Amino acid sequence: GESAGGGLAASMLAMMRSRQLPFPRGALLISPWTDLSGDGANAGLKHAGSLALEQRSAGRDYLKPDMIAWIAKLARGDMPADRVPVSPMYAEGSLEGMPPIFVVYGEDEVLRGQIEAFCDTWSGKGASVQARGVAGGVHVPVMFNFCHGPSHDVLREVSAVFGAPSKEAAAGEKQGLLAAPSCC
């Protein structure tokens, strides 16, 4: 998942663990938004650190802090903002036994500090997290792989981590067919 979808994917893993459901073989989180807590102008920016403040004036990332705060308030609604499923940053208990998690983020993105705090937090609880910052990358850097070398390079890295698709899967993709998940 990417951005809010990355946060949802992390929340799904936490919920699967708590319900003792089978996991996928791995998870790819691209610029995951994992903490929607916070108040006012800092909603959704907790753990983002000083880079988020710098971004307000520097304008390097297209994702703006005021937009993040507005969306965070809408997305969490009346749900507690400091708990799963809204904010997977706060998953409780051990996270050992989860599938490998590969996290890609832009080193110039506004959520960088939050993403790094999430990776450290989950790793500290036993999850196998491999983080890869993309030099010069903004939010969801792989979206710019066509014009940004480091973003293109990380796609190759992702392929190496998750493996190339089988010939059967590639043939199915060419025909527009979807393959069943490997867990089912």
Short mmCIF file of all heavy atoms in Angstrom, two decimals, residues 124-166:
data_model
loop_
_atom_site.label_atom_id
_atom_site.label_comp_id
_atom_site.label_asym_id
_atom_site.label_seq_id
_atom_site.Cartn_x
_atom_site.Cartn_y
_atom_site.Cartn_z
N GLY A 124 11.44 -2.49 16.86
CA GLY A 124 11.66 -2.66 18.29
C GLY A 124 10.69 -3.63 18.94
O GLY A 124 10.97 -4.20 20.00
N LYS A 125 9.55 -3.85 18.29
CA LYS A 125 8.56 -4.80 18.80
C LYS A 125 8.68 -6.17 18.14
O LYS A 125 7.82 -7.03 18.32
CB LYS A 125 7.14 -4.24 18.60
CG LYS A 125 6.87 -3.03 19.46
CD LYS A 125 5.45 -2.56 19.28
CE LYS A 125 5.17 -1.42 20.25
NZ LYS A 125 3.74 -1.21 20.40
N GLY A 126 9.72 -6.34 17.34
CA GLY A 126 9.99 -7.66 16.77
C GLY A 126 9.63 -7.85 15.31
O GLY A 126 9.88 -8.91 14.75
N ALA A 127 9.06 -6.86 14.66
CA ALA A 127 8.73 -7.00 13.24
C ALA A 127 10.01 -6.92 12.41
O ALA A 127 10.96 -6.23 12.78
CB ALA A 127 7.76 -5.91 12.80
N SER A 128 10.02 -7.64 11.31
CA SER A 128 11.15 -7.61 10.39
C SER A 128 10.89 -6.51 9.37
O SER A 128 10.16 -6.72 8.39
CB SER A 128 11.30 -8.97 9.70
OG SER A 128 12.31 -8.90 8.72
N VAL A 129 11.46 -5.33 9.62
CA VAL A 129 11.22 -4.17 8.77
C VAL A 129 12.52 -3.77 8.09
O VAL A 129 13.54 -3.59 8.75
CB VAL A 129 10.69 -2.97 9.59
CG1 VAL A 129 10.48 -1.75 8.71
CG2 VAL A 129 9.40 -3.34 10.32
N GLN A 130 12.48 -3.65 6.79
CA GLN A 130 13.61 -3.14 6.02
C GLN A 130 13.16 -1.82 5.41
O GLN A 130 12.20 -1.78 4.64
CB GLN A 130 14.00 -4.13 4.92
CG GLN A 130 15.19 -3.69 4.11
CD GLN A 130 15.55 -4.71 3.04
OE1 GLN A 130 15.00 -5.81 2.96
NE2 GLN A 130 16.48 -4.33 2.18
N ALA A 131 13.82 -0.73 5.77
CA ALA A 131 13.45 0.60 5.29
C ALA A 131 14.45 1.07 4.25
O ALA A 131 15.65 0.84 4.37
CB ALA A 131 13.40 1.58 6.45
N ARG A 132 13.93 1.75 3.24
CA ARG A 132 14.77 2.28 2.17
C ARG A 132 14.33 3.68 1.82
O ARG A 132 13.28 3.89 1.23
CB ARG A 132 14.66 1.36 0.96
CG ARG A 132 15.32 1.85 -0.30
CD ARG A 132 16.83 1.91 -0.19
NE ARG A 132 17.46 1.91 -1.49
CZ ARG A 132 17.55 2.98 -2.27
NH1 ARG A 132 17.03 4.12 -1.90
NH2 ARG A 132 18.13 2.89 -3.44
N GLY A 133 15.13 4.67 2.25
CA GLY A 133 14.89 6.06 1.88
C GLY A 133 15.44 6.32 0.50
O GLY A 133 16.52 5.85 0.15
N VAL A 134 14.69 7.06 -0.30
CA VAL A 134 15.10 7.39 -1.66
C VAL A 134 15.65 8.82 -1.66
O VAL A 134 14.94 9.77 -1.36
CB VAL A 134 13.90 7.28 -2.64
CG1 VAL A 134 14.31 7.71 -4.04
CG2 VAL A 134 13.36 5.86 -2.65
N ALA A 135 16.93 8.95 -1.98
CA ALA A 135 17.59 10.26 -2.01
C ALA A 135 16.86 11.19 -2.98
O ALA A 135 16.59 10.82 -4.12
CB ALA A 135 19.04 10.11 -2.43
N GLY A 136 16.51 12.38 -2.49
CA GLY A 136 15.82 13.36 -3.33
C GLY A 136 14.37 13.02 -3.59
O GLY A 136 13.69 13.74 -4.32
N GLY A 137 13.88 11.94 -2.99
CA GLY A 137 12.51 11.51 -3.23
C GLY A 137 11.50 12.27 -2.37
O GLY A 137 11.79 12.63 -1.24
N VAL A 138 10.32 12.48 -2.93
CA VAL A 138 9.22 13.10 -2.21
C VAL A 138 8.21 12.01 -1.85
O VAL A 138 8.50 10.81 -2.01
CB VAL A 138 8.56 14.22 -3.05
CG1 VAL A 138 9.53 15.37 -3.25
CG2 VAL A 138 8.04 13.71 -4.38
N HIS A 139 7.03 12.38 -1.38
CA HIS A 139 6.02 11.41 -0.98
C HIS A 139 5.69 10.47 -2.14
O HIS A 139 5.46 10.91 -3.26
CB HIS A 139 4.76 12.16 -0.52
CG HIS A 139 3.73 11.30 0.11
ND1 HIS A 139 3.95 10.63 1.30
CD2 HIS A 139 2.48 10.98 -0.28
CE1 HIS A 139 2.87 9.96 1.61
NE2 HIS A 139 1.97 10.15 0.66
N VAL A 140 5.69 9.17 -1.85
CA VAL A 140 5.49 8.10 -2.84
C VAL A 140 6.49 8.27 -3.99
O VAL A 140 6.11 8.50 -5.14
CB VAL A 140 4.03 8.03 -3.35
CG1 VAL A 140 3.80 6.79 -4.18
CG2 VAL A 140 3.03 8.09 -2.19
N PRO A 141 7.78 8.15 -3.70
CA PRO A 141 8.80 8.43 -4.71
C PRO A 141 8.73 7.54 -5.94
O PRO A 141 9.09 8.00 -7.04
CB PRO A 141 10.11 8.23 -3.96
CG PRO A 141 9.78 7.33 -2.82
CD PRO A 141 8.37 7.69 -2.44
N VAL A 142 8.24 6.33 -5.82
CA VAL A 142 8.20 5.44 -6.99
C VAL A 142 7.26 5.97 -8.08
O VAL A 142 7.38 5.58 -9.24
CB VAL A 142 7.83 3.99 -6.61
CG1 VAL A 142 8.89 3.38 -5.71
CG2 VAL A 142 6.47 3.92 -5.97
N MET A 143 6.39 6.88 -7.70
CA MET A 143 5.49 7.49 -8.68
C MET A 143 6.29 8.30 -9.71
O MET A 143 5.82 8.56 -10.80
CB MET A 143 4.49 8.39 -7.94
CG MET A 143 3.33 8.85 -8.75
SD MET A 143 1.98 9.52 -7.74
CE MET A 143 2.76 10.80 -6.79
N PHE A 144 7.51 8.67 -9.35
CA PHE A 144 8.34 9.50 -10.22
C PHE A 144 9.49 8.70 -10.83
O PHE A 144 10.50 9.27 -11.24
CB PHE A 144 8.87 10.70 -9.43
CG PHE A 144 7.75 11.55 -8.89
CD1 PHE A 144 7.31 11.40 -7.59
CD2 PHE A 144 7.11 12.46 -9.71
CE1 PHE A 144 6.27 12.16 -7.10
CE2 PHE A 144 6.05 13.23 -9.24
CZ PHE A 144 5.63 13.07 -7.93
N ASN A 145 9.34 7.39 -10.92
CA ASN A 145 10.42 6.54 -11.44
C ASN A 145 10.77 6.86 -12.88
O ASN A 145 11.88 6.60 -13.31
CB ASN A 145 10.06 5.06 -11.27
CG ASN A 145 9.03 4.60 -12.26
OD1 ASN A 145 9.37 4.29 -13.39
ND2 ASN A 145 7.77 4.57 -11.86
N PHE A 146 9.86 7.44 -13.63
CA PHE A 146 10.12 7.74 -15.04
C PHE A 146 11.06 8.94 -15.22
O PHE A 146 11.62 9.13 -16.30
CB PHE A 146 8.80 8.02 -15.77
CG PHE A 146 8.09 9.26 -15.31
CD1 PHE A 146 8.27 10.46 -15.97
CD2 PHE A 146 7.26 9.23 -14.19
CE1 PHE A 146 7.62 11.61 -15.53
CE2 PHE A 146 6.61 10.37 -13.75
CZ PHE A 146 6.80 11.57 -14.42
N CYS A 147 11.23 9.76 -14.16
CA CYS A 147 12.05 10.97 -14.32
C CYS A 147 13.04 11.18 -13.18
O CYS A 147 13.74 12.19 -13.16
CB CYS A 147 11.15 12.20 -14.45
SG CYS A 147 10.14 12.53 -13.00
N HIS A 148 13.11 10.24 -12.24
CA HIS A 148 14.00 10.40 -11.09
C HIS A 148 14.75 9.09 -10.89
O HIS A 148 14.16 8.09 -10.48
CB HIS A 148 13.17 10.77 -9.85
CG HIS A 148 13.97 11.01 -8.62
ND1 HIS A 148 13.85 10.21 -7.50
CD2 HIS A 148 14.91 11.94 -8.33
CE1 HIS A 148 14.66 10.66 -6.57
NE2 HIS A 148 15.33 11.70 -7.04
N GLY A 149 16.04 9.10 -11.21
CA GLY A 149 16.86 7.89 -11.18
C GLY A 149 16.77 7.09 -9.89
O GLY A 149 16.54 5.88 -9.93
N PRO A 150 16.97 7.72 -8.71
CA PRO A 150 16.89 6.95 -7.47
C PRO A 150 15.52 6.30 -7.24
O PRO A 150 15.44 5.21 -6.68
CB PRO A 150 17.20 7.99 -6.39
CG PRO A 150 18.04 9.02 -7.08
CD PRO A 150 17.47 9.09 -8.47
N SER A 151 14.46 6.95 -7.71
CA SER A 151 13.12 6.35 -7.59
C SER A 151 12.98 5.13 -8.50
O SER A 151 12.37 4.14 -8.13
CB SER A 151 12.03 7.38 -7.92
OG SER A 151 12.03 8.42 -6.97
N HIS A 152 13.57 5.22 -9.68
CA HIS A 152 13.57 4.08 -10.59
C HIS A 152 14.38 2.93 -10.00
O HIS A 152 13.96 1.77 -10.04
CB HIS A 152 14.13 4.49 -11.95
CG HIS A 152 14.19 3.39 -12.93
ND1 HIS A 152 13.07 2.93 -13.60
CD2 HIS A 152 15.22 2.62 -13.35
CE1 HIS A 152 13.42 1.93 -14.39
NE2 HIS A 152 14.71 1.72 -14.26
N ASP A 153 15.54 3.26 -9.43
CA ASP A 153 16.41 2.23 -8.86
C ASP A 153 15.74 1.46 -7.74
O ASP A 153 15.95 0.25 -7.59
CB ASP A 153 17.71 2.85 -8.35
CG ASP A 153 18.55 3.44 -9.47
OD1 ASP A 153 18.31 3.10 -10.65
OD2 ASP A 153 19.44 4.26 -9.16
N VAL A 154 14.92 2.14 -6.92
CA VAL A 154 14.29 1.46 -5.80
C VAL A 154 13.26 0.42 -6.29
O VAL A 154 13.03 -0.57 -5.61
CB VAL A 154 13.67 2.45 -4.79
CG1 VAL A 154 12.32 2.98 -5.25
CG2 VAL A 154 13.54 1.81 -3.41
N LEU A 155 12.69 0.64 -7.47
CA LEU A 155 11.78 -0.37 -8.02
C LEU A 155 12.50 -1.68 -8.28
O LEU A 155 11.95 -2.77 -8.06
CB LEU A 155 11.10 0.13 -9.29
CG LEU A 155 10.04 1.20 -9.10
CD1 LEU A 155 9.49 1.65 -10.45
CD2 LEU A 155 8.92 0.71 -8.21
N ARG A 156 13.73 -1.60 -8.74
CA ARG A 156 14.54 -2.82 -8.94
C ARG A 156 14.82 -3.50 -7.61
O ARG A 156 14.80 -4.71 -7.50
CB ARG A 156 15.84 -2.48 -9.65
CG ARG A 156 15.63 -2.10 -11.08
CD ARG A 156 16.92 -1.89 -11.79
NE ARG A 156 16.61 -1.48 -13.15
CZ ARG A 156 17.48 -1.01 -13.98
NH1 ARG A 156 18.74 -0.92 -13.62
NH2 ARG A 156 17.13 -0.64 -15.19
N GLU A 157 15.07 -2.68 -6.60
CA GLU A 157 15.31 -3.22 -5.27
C GLU A 157 14.06 -3.94 -4.74
O GLU A 157 14.15 -5.02 -4.15
CB GLU A 157 15.69 -2.07 -4.33
CG GLU A 157 16.58 -2.47 -3.21
CD GLU A 157 17.09 -1.26 -2.44
OE1 GLU A 157 17.48 -0.25 -3.05
OE2 GLU A 157 17.10 -1.36 -1.21
N VAL A 158 12.90 -3.34 -4.95
CA VAL A 158 11.64 -3.96 -4.54
C VAL A 158 11.47 -5.30 -5.24
O VAL A 158 11.09 -6.30 -4.63
CB VAL A 158 10.44 -3.02 -4.83
CG1 VAL A 158 9.12 -3.76 -4.72
CG2 VAL A 158 10.47 -1.83 -3.89
N SER A 159 11.78 -5.33 -6.54
CA SER A 159 11.67 -6.57 -7.30
C SER A 159 12.58 -7.65 -6.73
O SER A 159 12.21 -8.82 -6.64
CB SER A 159 12.00 -6.32 -8.77
OG SER A 159 11.95 -7.51 -9.50
N ALA A 160 13.78 -7.26 -6.32
CA ALA A 160 14.73 -8.22 -5.75
C ALA A 160 14.22 -8.74 -4.40
O ALA A 160 14.39 -9.92 -4.08
CB ALA A 160 16.10 -7.58 -5.58
N VAL A 161 13.58 -7.88 -3.62
CA VAL A 161 13.08 -8.28 -2.31
C VAL A 161 11.90 -9.24 -2.45
O VAL A 161 11.82 -10.26 -1.77
CB VAL A 161 12.65 -7.05 -1.46
CG1 VAL A 161 11.87 -7.46 -0.24
CG2 VAL A 161 13.89 -6.25 -1.06
N PHE A 162 10.99 -8.94 -3.35
CA PHE A 162 9.78 -9.74 -3.49
C PHE A 162 9.86 -10.78 -4.59
O PHE A 162 8.97 -11.62 -4.70
CB PHE A 162 8.57 -8.84 -3.71
CG PHE A 162 8.19 -8.09 -2.46
CD1 PHE A 162 8.63 -6.80 -2.25
CD2 PHE A 162 7.44 -8.70 -1.49
CE1 PHE A 162 8.31 -6.12 -1.09
CE2 PHE A 162 7.11 -8.04 -0.32
CZ PHE A 162 7.55 -6.74 -0.12
N GLY A 163 10.89 -10.73 -5.40
CA GLY A 163 11.07 -11.71 -6.46
C GLY A 163 10.27 -11.34 -7.69
O GLY A 163 9.26 -10.66 -7.61
N ALA A 164 10.77 -11.76 -8.81
CA ALA A 164 10.07 -11.52 -10.07
C ALA A 164 8.87 -12.44 -10.15
O ALA A 164 8.88 -13.55 -9.60
CB ALA A 164 11.02 -11.77 -11.24
N PRO A 165 7.81 -12.02 -10.84
CA PRO A 165 6.64 -12.89 -10.97
C PRO A 165 6.96 -14.14 -11.79
O PRO A 165 7.84 -14.11 -12.65
CB PRO A 165 5.61 -12.01 -11.68
CG PRO A 165 6.40 -10.95 -12.36
CD PRO A 165 7.65 -10.76 -11.53
N SER A 166 6.27 -15.21 -11.50
CA SER A 166 6.46 -16.44 -12.28
C SER A 166 5.98 -16.20 -13.71
O SER A 166 5.25 -15.25 -13.99
CB SER A 166 5.66 -17.58 -11.65
OG SER A 166 4.27 -17.31 -11.78
#
